Amino acid sequence: MSNSLSKEEAKSKIDKYAADILRPMQSHGGLELWVMLLALGLIMYVFAYFIQLRDGLGVTAMRDYVSWGVYISNFVFFVAVSLVGMLISAVLGLLKQDWIKPITRVAEVVALGFVMVAGLVIVNDMGRPDRLMNVFIHGRIQSPIVWDITVITTYVTISLLLFYLPLIPDLAFAKKRLKNMPVWQYHLFNILSLGWIGTPEQYKILHKGIRLLAILIIPVALAIHTVTSWLFAATLRPGWDTTIFGPYFVAGAFVAGAAAVVILMYILRVNYKLKDYFTDFHFDKMGQLLVLVSLVYLYFNLNEFLVPAYKMKDADAVHLHTLFSGKYAVLFWGVQIFGMIIPIIMMLFRRFRKPAWLAGIAVFVLIGAWLKRVIIVIPTLLHPHLPIQNVPEAFHQYFPTWIEVFVTLGSFVMALGIITALLKIFPVIPIWELAEEEGLTEEFESYE
Amino acid sequence: MENTSSRLVVGLLAVLLLSSFSVFAQSEWKVEDAKSKMSNPIQADDASLKEGKALFKTNCITCHGDPGKNNGLPLVPKPSDMANAAFLSANSDGAVFTKMTDGRITMPSFKAVLSEKERWKIVNYIRSFDENKKVASTVTAVKKEGQTLGVPYQLSLNYNPEESSLVAFVRGTLTDGNLAPASDVEVGFFVKRYFGDLPIGDRGGVTDENGMIKAAIPTDLPGGEEGKALAFAKLNDVDTYGDVSAKTEVSVKAVEIINLMDERSLWTVSVMAPWWLIFTYFGILIGVWGTLGYVVTLLFKLKKAGV
C-alpha cells in the first residue's frame, strides 16, 4: 500500500509502534506505589462511607438548607469531565482532525472512568441507598432525575462501545506481538478481538460501526450534561433559574474534560515514554482546543453573571452579592481568575502550550472546574426564596465534614483506578489508526 | 470611710434594683397617670354595651378571645383575657382606653380604626365584666309574666331557600315548664367546610324580642357537585344556655370537582404523563438503543467476516 516507504522501512515503523505502545503494558515502573496509594484512598473511602451508612447523612454537613453539598457538586464535575470523550473522538474525528487520532483512546478512557463513577457518586449522596431500586420502580418520566438516569446509562453504554470498537484490531495485533502475556490477558484479548484478521470487509464493518457511534454520541453527550443542568434550571431558585444553563454546563464540561485529557497525556508522555506520539505538536493543538473551549465558557460566564447583575432583582442580588463580595467571594474570584482568565491569557501564547507548561495550566483549570461546581451548587441553596423560620444558626452555613471529604476523594480514587486499569491492560494509542493514516495497514496486519 | 463604702453598697443595690425594675417594666404595660385618670364620657347603658360588644367582636376577639374564656391567641406577650379580674382591677377605664388607642408591638393601635366614642363603648363593654363595678348587666334571663326564663333552651333553625337565609328561633323554659321566646341571646351561624366551621351572617348576633335572628347565606360558597352544604347555628354562651345547636342542609353554589390527578400532566404518575412527553421520551429511547442494538449486530457480522 505504502508508496513512499520501502517494505523494510514500513516494517520497522510498525515494529517501532509495537515496541513503544505495547511496552508499557508489561513494564510497570512505579505502578506498585501508585496502586498502593489508590488502595489506601479506597480504604479511607470504605471507612468513611461505612460510618455514613451506619449513622445516616447526619454525619455530613448537609442540613435543611444545603441539601446538595460536595457530593452533588462532585457529581456534576464527574459528568462534566466525561463529556470530553464525545468532544474528541466524535466531534473532532468527524471534522477529520487527524492529529486527534493518537489521543482518542486517552479521551475515551477518561470519559469511561468518570462517567462510570458518576452514578456511584449519586448513590453516595443517598441516605437510604437500599431504596435505589425505587427510582426505577416508581420513577416518573416527567421528572428530570429519570431523564438523567436514562441518558447517563445510555452514555456509559455508548462510551463502552466507542472504547471497544476501535480496540478490536489492536487487540488482535497485541495478541500476536506480545510475548509472555499472562494467560488471562491472552484469553481476554482472544475473545474480545472477535477473530479479527483484518480483511477489507472487516475494516468496512468496523468503520461503519465507529462512525455510527461517533454520530450517536454527540446528541447523547449533549443530552447528558444538558439534563444534568436541568436538574438545577428546572428549579425556581436564584442562580439556577436561567435559560442558558444547558449550553453553559456543556461549555464548562469541555473545559474540564480537555484539561483532564491534557494532564493524562502528559503523565503518559513521561511515564509511558510516548514522546513520539504525544508530541509538542499535539500539546500545542490541545492547548488551542482548551483555550477555545475556555473562551466559549468565559463568554457564557459573562452572560450568566453580568446580565442578572445588571438588573439585580431582589433574590438574585442576595445571591450575586454573596459571590461577588460576600462569603464566597474569595472562592468565586479565585476560580474565575486562576481557573479561567489567567490560563486563557497564558494559553494564547505558543510557549505556554508546550507540554510541561500546558499540563501545569491544565491542573489549575481542572481544580478551578471542580470548585466552580461547588459555587454553582451550594451558595444558591443558602438563599431560598422562602427562608425557613427559626432554623438553627448552623443551617445557614455549609462546610463539608471529613466524611464527605473522604467519600469524595474515594470517588476520584475509583475513577483513577478504572483509568489506570484500562491504560495498563490495553494499548493506550490506537495503533491501527496510525498505520492506516500512513498507509501501512497491510504491514500492520501481516505480522505472523 | 466606713460611711462612704456603705453608701456605695446602697448605691449599687439601688442601681441593681432600678435596672431590674426597668427590665420588669418592659413586660408590664404602664399608662401615664394623667391618661389613666381620664373618665369615660359615655354612659354604660344597654345601647352602648350592645354596640361595644359588637365592636369588640369584630376588632378584638381574634386575639383576645371571648371574655372570661381565657382563649386568646398564644402570642408573646399574651393578649390578656378582658374579663380577667386582675387585669380589670389594675387598669382604670382611662388605662384600657389608652392602651387600645396607642397599641404596643403586636397589640395594634386603634386610633385610626375606631372613633373615640367607639373606643369608649368598648371600654364600657370590657368594664361590664368587672364584678366590683358592675354598672349594668347584659340581660340573659328574661322575666315573663312574673316567671323566670331558664334552662333548658331550645334552638330551631329555619331555612328559606328563596331568600337564601336562615332564621334561628330561640326559646327558653319558663318556671311553669312552658317554652317562651328568649330575647338577647347570642347566636352564631356557621357552614361546615373541609377544615373547620366558616362563620356566616356577620358572625351572628343576638335574638330580637321574638327570640329570632336572621342570617344570610353567601350563595357563592362552593358546595360540591350538588351545591349543598351543612349550615348550623349555636348559642355562643354555653355556660348560661347549655350546649344548644341546630343544623340544616342549605343550597349553595354547585361546582364541578376537578381531580387534578385525572388529567395528563407533569405532576401525576408516569402512565398519566402528557402524550408529547411519552412520545419524546420513548421515541428517543427506542431510536438511540435501536441504533446501539444495530451496532452490536455489526460486531457479529465482523466476527463472521473473519472466518
Side-chain angles (χ1 to χ4, degrees):
Chain A
M1 290 285 239
S2 123
N3 309 322
S4 50
L5 294 176
S6 73
K7 195 130 184 86
E8 288 310 301
E9 282 170 324
K11 186 173 175 318
S12 75
K13 195 142 198 179
I14 295 290
D15 284 346
K16 181 178 156 49
Y17 286 167
D20 289 347
I21 297 169
L22 299 183
R23 184 185 29 77
M25 294 165 65
Q26 296 199 315
S27 72
H28 306 309
L31 185 65
E32 287 95 344
L33 194 70
W34 173 238
V35 170
M36 255 163 52
L37 212 69
L38 289 183
L40 193 73
L42 200 64
I43 291 170
M44 309 261 247
Y45 163 80
V46 170
F47 177 62
Y49 187 61
F50 167 74
I51 292 179
Q52 181 184 311
L53 211 54
R54 190 192 60 191
D55 299 347
L57 281 177
V59 302
T60 70
M62 288 185 279
R63 294 292 181 266
D64 293 30
Y65 266 33
V66 178
S67 52
W68 283 355
V70 284
Y71 289 166
I72 296 294
S73 317
N74 195 41
F75 164 74
V76 177
F77 175 80
F78 269 54
V79 175
V81 172
S82 78
L83 228 59
V84 75
M86 166 278 236
L87 175 67
I88 287 185
S89 39
V91 176
L92 294 177
L94 290 174
L95 288 175
K96 299 261 181 303
Q97 295 287 315
D98 287 334
W99 62 269
I100 208 73
K101 290 233 161 92
I103 304 171
T104 49
R105 191 160 296 151
V106 173
E108 219 38 72
V109 165
V110 169
L112 265 181
F114 278 88
V115 79
M116 283 167 92
V117 179
L120 196 75
V121 173
I122 289 287
V123 177
N124 284 342
D125 189 52
M126 298 176 75
R128 292 291 302 265
D130 51 308
R131 296 183 181 167
L132 177 65
M133 284 321 283
N134 285 354
V135 178
F136 299 95
I137 300 168
H138 304 294
R140 304 174 321 114
I141 64 164
Q142 293 98 317
S143 157
I145 300 270
V146 168
W147 311 339
D148 209 39
I149 291 170
T150 313
V151 277
I152 288 183
T153 322
T154 310
Y155 188 70
V156 170
T157 313
I158 302 185
S159 295
L160 267 175
L161 284 169
L162 204 51
F163 172 72
Y164 172 53
L165 261 70
L167 199 58
I168 293 173
D170 285 348
L171 292 176
F173 181 76
K175 187 179 75 178
K176 285 186 288 186
R177 295 266 178 162
L178 271 183
K179 309 286 172 261
N180 50 44
M181 231 195 298
V183 184
W184 65 266
Q185 198 175 15
Y186 182 83
H187 282 306
L188 184 72
F189 280 26
N190 201 17
I191 295 167
L192 288 183
S193 59
L194 297 177
W196 176 270
I197 50 171
T199 65
E201 170 77 5
Q202 279 186 320
Y203 268 105
K204 219 181 96 194
I205 297 171
L206 186 69
H207 277 300
K208 188 176 173 184
I210 293 174
R211 199 179 156 74
L212 260 180
L213 289 174
I215 295 171
L216 191 63
I217 200 173
I218 295 175
V220 173
L222 285 178
I224 168 177
H225 218 42
T226 305
V227 171
T228 304
S229 84
W230 287 351
L231 296 183
F232 299 87
T235 321
L236 211 106
R237 288 247 187 183
W240 294 349
D241 187 14
T242 135
T243 53
I244 64 162
F245 242 38
Y248 174 61
F249 267 44
V250 170
F254 287 158
V255 174
V261 168
V262 166
I263 296 168
L264 192 55
M265 274 168 70
Y266 186 74
I267 293 171
L268 292 174
R269 177 182 154 106
V270 174
N271 189 268
Y272 279 24
K273 306 197 173 53
L274 294 175
K275 258 199 191 55
D276 296 341
Y277 304 87
F278 301 141
T279 62
D280 283 14
F281 169 75
H282 289 106
F283 278 88
D284 189 56
K285 281 287 186 188
M286 279 305 288
Q288 289 175 8
L289 179 70
L290 186 53
V291 80
L292 173 72
V293 290
S294 298
L295 281 168
V296 174
Y297 192 45
L298 178 68
Y299 166 72
F300 274 115
N301 268 278
L302 279 180
N303 280 280
E304 178 60 23
F305 292 105
L306 214 64
V307 175
Y310 189 85
K311 293 180 282 188
M312 279 295 180
K313 286 184 284 184
D314 283 359
D316 285 343
V318 177
H319 177 64
L320 291 173
H321 284 311
T322 328
L323 296 185
F324 293 167
S325 53
K327 226 164 40 184
Y328 281 86
V330 174
L331 199 60
F332 179 80
W333 292 115
V335 164
Q336 301 291 31
I337 292 167
F338 296 103
M340 191 155 59
I341 292 169
I342 293 180
I344 287 177
I345 294 171
M346 287 176 81
M347 285 187 295
L348 286 174
F349 298 96
R350 178 173 297 246
R351 60 169 301 197
F352 292 114
R353 297 199 298 266
K354 293 256 180 276
W357 270 111
L358 190 65
I361 293 172
V363 169
F364 274 85
V365 173
L366 197 67
I367 294 173
W370 193 88
L371 292 173
K372 184 66 189 289
R373 304 311 184 275
V374 171
I375 291 176
I376 291 175
V377 174
I378 292 162
T380 283
L381 287 168
L382 288 169
H383 317 294
H385 279 299
L386 272 182
I388 310 172
Q389 291 195 335
N390 306 322
V391 281
E393 182 52 33
F395 287 20
H396 287 292
Q397 272 114 47
Y398 172 83
F399 195 84
T401 61
W402 68 268
I403 301 253
E404 284 170 279
V405 172
F406 280 135
V407 169
T408 301
L409 282 179
S411 61
F412 277 94
V413 164
M414 282 181 268
L416 291 176
I418 292 174
I419 291 171
T420 307
L422 292 177
L423 292 179
K424 267 295 158 191
I425 297 172
F426 301 110
V428 294
I429 292 172
I431 308 171
W432 67 276
E433 289 195 72
L434 299 188
E436 195 173 50
E437 209 180 317
E438 307 236 5
L440 302 176
T441 301
E442 210 171 301
E443 273 303 325
F444 174 80
E445 295 294 352
S446 67
Y447 184 87
E448 280 314 317
Chain B
M1 269 304 176
E2 242 176 69
N3 224 341
T4 341
S5 63
S6 63
R7 235 183 258 161
L8 206 83
V9 170
V10 172
L12 266 174
L13 276 177
V15 167
L16 272 176
L17 212 79
L18 268 174
S19 60
S20 67
F21 183 76
S22 69
V23 168
F24 182 60
Q26 267 187 354
S27 49
E28 187 82 343
W29 190 350
K30 285 276 169 201
V31 175
E32 287 169 44
D33 260 6
K35 287 189 172 174
S36 215
K37 288 198 180 107
M38 282 192 290
S39 61
N40 195 336
I42 307 270
Q43 184 86 51
D45 53 17
D46 266 6
S48 112
L49 280 178
K50 207 166 159 180
E51 209 179 318
K53 182 174 181 177
L55 287 168
F56 186 85
K57 258 183 145 174
T58 38
N59 292 293
C60 323
I61 220 164
T62 38
C63 294
H64 286 274
D66 305 292
K69 300 251 173 83
N70 202 20
N71 58 357
L73 284 187
L75 301 172
V76 179
K78 192 172 162 31
S80 320
D81 185 328
M82 290 289 115
N84 179 290
F87 161 74
L88 287 168
S89 63
N91 288 273
S92 63
D93 281 5
V96 175
F97 180 85
T98 308
K99 287 179 178 182
M100 189 189 330
T101 306
D102 296 346
R104 184 172 86 158
I105 315 170
T106 353
M107 164 70 197
S109 152
F110 285 89
K111 199 170 177 174
V113 182
L114 300 171
S115 71
E116 223 166 278
K117 274 188 183 160
E118 285 173 323
R119 275 174 267 150
W120 281 119
K121 283 173 186 167
I122 295 179
V123 172
N124 273 339
Y125 171 66
I126 292 173
R127 190 58 65 197
S128 73
F129 296 98
D130 195 338
E131 297 297 337
N132 304 325
K133 296 190 188 169
K134 212 148 200 160
V135 211
S137 64
T138 41
V139 188
T140 53
V142 171
K143 292 212 167 112
K144 196 136 214 180
E145 291 153 14
Q147 298 191 47
T148 319
L149 204 57
V151 288
Y153 283 82
Q154 281 190 1
L155 170 64
S156 57
L157 195 57
N158 255 318
Y159 173 47
N160 181 346
E162 278 83 59
E163 240 183 44
S164 188
S165 64
L166 291 168
V167 174
F169 179 39
V170 183
R171 283 175 300 173
T173 311
L174 289 168
T175 331
D176 63 9
N178 286 327
L179 292 173
S183 63
D184 271 326
V185 179
E186 219 181 280
V187 181
F189 295 91
F190 304 87
V191 174
K192 274 239 171 288
R193 306 269 83 190
Y194 243 150
F195 296 110
D197 304 329
L198 177 74
I200 56 168
D202 282 339
R203 295 183 149 265
V206 291
T207 51
D208 59 15
E209 61 275 16
N210 300 320
M212 302 222 223
I213 175 171
K214 192 162 151 183
I217 304 167
T219 44
D220 55 352
L221 273 185
E225 270 159 351
E226 269 139 39
K228 297 281 182 216
L230 189 72
F232 67 97
K234 68 179 186 195
L235 304 189
N236 286 346
D237 190 347
V238 178
D239 294 342
T240 312
Y241 304 108
D243 196 354
V244 184
S245 68
K247 61 187 175 196
T248 177
E249 194 181 64
V250 296
S251 291
V252 284
K253 195 170 148 198
V255 289
E256 193 188 340
I257 294 183
I258 303 163
N259 186 351
L260 290 178
M261 298 297 275
D262 285 346
E263 37 184 277
R264 296 202 162 269
S265 64
L266 288 177
W267 52 79
T268 48
V269 289
S270 237
V271 288
M272 290 300 284
W275 283 117
W276 64 264
L277 185 63
I278 294 180
F279 285 129
T280 314
Y281 180 83
F282 286 104
I284 294 175
L285 205 64
I286 292 167
V288 171
W289 282 88
T291 314
L292 288 183
Y294 176 67
V295 170
V296 172
T297 66
L298 284 183
L299 292 179
F300 285 103
K301 255 199 201 156
L302 191 85
K303 181 151 191 162
K304 228 184 264 161
V307 286

